[in-house]
Amino acid sequence: MTAPTPAEGAAHTDEVPGRIMAREIAEQPAALRRLLNEGAGAIRSVADRIAARKPRFVLLTARGTSDNVALYAKYLLEIKLGLPCGLTSMSTTTAYGAQQDLRDVLVITISQSGGSPDLVASTRAAREAGAITLAVTNNPGSPLAEVSEYHVDVMAGPEYALPATKTYTASLLALYLLVEGLRGGDGGAASELPRRAEELLAREDEVRALAARYRFAERMVFTSRGYGYPTVKEAALKLMETTYVPALSYSGADLLHGPLAMVGNVSPVIAVVPDGRGGAALQPVLERLRERGADLVVFGPEADVARASAGFVLPIEGIDEELQTILEIIPLQLLAHEVTIARGQDPDTPRGLAKVTETH
């Protein structure tokens, strides 16, 4: 599946604001099902070849939404495989010309389009420095895929709205399947995801009701722990991209180290509470937020939603914590869409954004 060019995206512009983004959010169950049914075998093959080379360290390279996918992959690789991971600073290579010894290092570069020059240049430099290079993209014919030794196609289909939605969740699932392959697993625990995603999308009216709380918000704070942390970073990014409202995202631990001081009784805070160790670690943070009288909205298990100002119960019972991440973001994508519409803006074409960001 190839990503559209800006011209192709323009040709599909719809007169109804936000209709393209809404359509692509709705395509996520099908995209997840396609990747599980048609792409899992190819991902397992790539994982087997990489595992045979026994990488000693992993570097993850990405920008924007894909950077939040990379953070998710970092949690997976460190927790499931015990491999130390780092998020790269591409400018050390592209701007400063640093030369590194990357022998036996797996460098994973994540990009929906695979076209950003700095991603291509840093991946090429990594390969020349001895790294095992893997590109994860929605475009197998992209420059990034061509310069990398291995490639994983997330198979999300063309994405025309500027805010990435289905490519994000498909990339999360692709990285999950890759890590499962590296550890000798079959990824079968992900089989429930498409059905659960359909359940979430059927509750759009609940999200629309929540969106009314944020129509006039001047600032928002998102927080979570563990596997939920990439989710709140992505949710904040989606809200800023579409509504232009400043949205800050913090690990719950970091929120307690100073930023909590900005939260008062009129401060909107959205907490993503995983059902697992991350959610347990977040409980002291939720208690402090309640003590401060924050307008706390929880996306998570029913018990946590019941103790908040408002919330959205996620259908995550029986889903492994690391897979809940793929479901958590869907109602938050809907929230960004609905808040943007309520504010009289078009989430399909946010100002100042392009589908391929050409950084160097």
Side-chain angles (χ1 to χ4, degrees):
M1 302 286 179
T2 58
T5 65
E8 290 170 334
H12 287 74
T13 298
D14 207 305
E15 291 182 1
V16 179
R19 188 164 181 179
I20 301 173
M21 184 181 178
R23 183 166 59 232
E24 291 174 350
I25 291 172
E27 288 172 3
Q28 288 176 106
L32 297 173
R33 192 171 284 116
R34 180 168 55 246
L35 187 56
L36 288 169
N37 294 339
E38 302 174 24
I43 294 174
R44 179 59 186 265
S45 177
V46 168
D48 287 344
R49 283 180 281 166
I50 292 174
R53 296 175 66 174
K54 295 180 169 53
R56 59 183 172 84
F57 192 88
V58 182
L59 288 173
L60 294 147
T61 305
R63 297 277 193 207
T65 284
S66 295
D67 202 34
N68 299 326
V69 178
L71 180 58
Y72 170 71
K74 185 177 188 294
Y75 275 91
L76 277 177
L77 288 157
E78 291 185 342
I79 294 170
K80 297 296 183 181
L81 296 181
L83 277 176
C85 300
L87 302 177
T88 61
S89 300
M90 281 174 279
S91 61
T92 60
T93 299
T94 59
Y96 291 93
Q99 296 183 345
Q100 305 171 56
D101 180 0
L102 297 179
R103 288 172 293 179
D104 301 322
V105 174
L106 172 60
V107 173
I108 302 175
T109 307
I110 306 163
S111 169
Q112 63 188 80
S113 69
S116 185
D118 57 349
L119 294 172
V120 175
S122 64
T123 301
R124 181 185 293 111
R127 190 169 181 179
E128 291 171 353
I132 306 162
T133 53
L134 167 65
V136 178
T137 80
N138 196 39
N139 185 1
S142 65
L144 179 60
E146 291 173 0
V147 79
S148 301
E149 189 174 358
Y150 303 105
H151 178 257
V152 163
D153 183 0
V154 306
M155 303 180 69
E159 191 170 55
Y160 298 113
L162 290 178
T165 53
K166 63 180 182 175
T167 52
Y168 177 72
T169 49
S171 297
L172 293 177
L173 179 56
L175 268 299
Y176 171 81
L177 294 172
L178 176 76
V179 172
E180 279 294 289
L182 291 172
R183 66 195 292 257
D186 63 6
S191 62
E192 272 286 292
L193 292 177
R195 185 179 69 81
R196 299 290 181 100
E198 287 169 345
E199 290 179 18
L200 284 167
L201 291 167
R203 296 165 59 194
E204 183 178 5
D205 287 348
E206 293 180 48
V207 178
R208 188 172 295 115
L210 280 177
R213 302 173 71 91
Y214 306 116
R215 181 177 180 183
F216 301 108
E218 297 181 358
R219 180 188 66 198
M220 293 176 64
V221 175
F222 290 80
T223 189
S224 189
R225 291 291 303 270
Y227 287 110
Y229 184 37
T231 301
V232 296
K233 288 178 68 66
E234 174 62 12
L237 177 62
K238 281 290 145 302
L239 197 81
M240 288 189 288
E241 284 178 337
T242 57
T243 68
Y244 322 135
V245 173
L248 307 172
S249 57
Y250 295 99
S251 158
D254 289 331
L255 184 62
L256 294 182
H257 283 270
L260 186 67
M262 71 177 172
V263 177
N265 59 9
V266 295
S267 301
V269 179
I270 291 179
V272 172
V273 185
D275 184 12
R277 296 187 183 185
L282 190 63
Q283 293 304 317
V285 182
L286 299 178
E287 186 59 35
R288 291 287 299 278
L289 289 168
R290 286 190 289 264
E291 289 173 359
R292 295 186 68 83
D295 177 19
L296 176 63
V297 173
V298 165
F299 285 68
E302 185 173 3
D304 292 292
V305 171
R307 300 184 65 201
S309 305
F312 184 96
V313 177
L314 293 169
I316 51 181
E317 295 156 352
I319 300 292
D320 292 344
E321 185 176 355
E322 63 269 22
L323 286 169
Q324 294 172 26
T325 311
I326 300 170
L327 299 173
E328 291 163 352
I329 190 60
I330 294 175
L332 290 163
Q333 292 170 342
L334 289 170
L335 183 70
H337 177 274
E338 293 299 328
V339 172
T340 307
I341 296 296
R343 293 168 71 94
Q345 296 154 204
D346 186 356
D348 288 340
T349 55
R351 64 190 183 214
L353 289 188
K355 202 64 181 169
V356 180
T357 304
E358 300 206 354
T359 47
H360 295 272

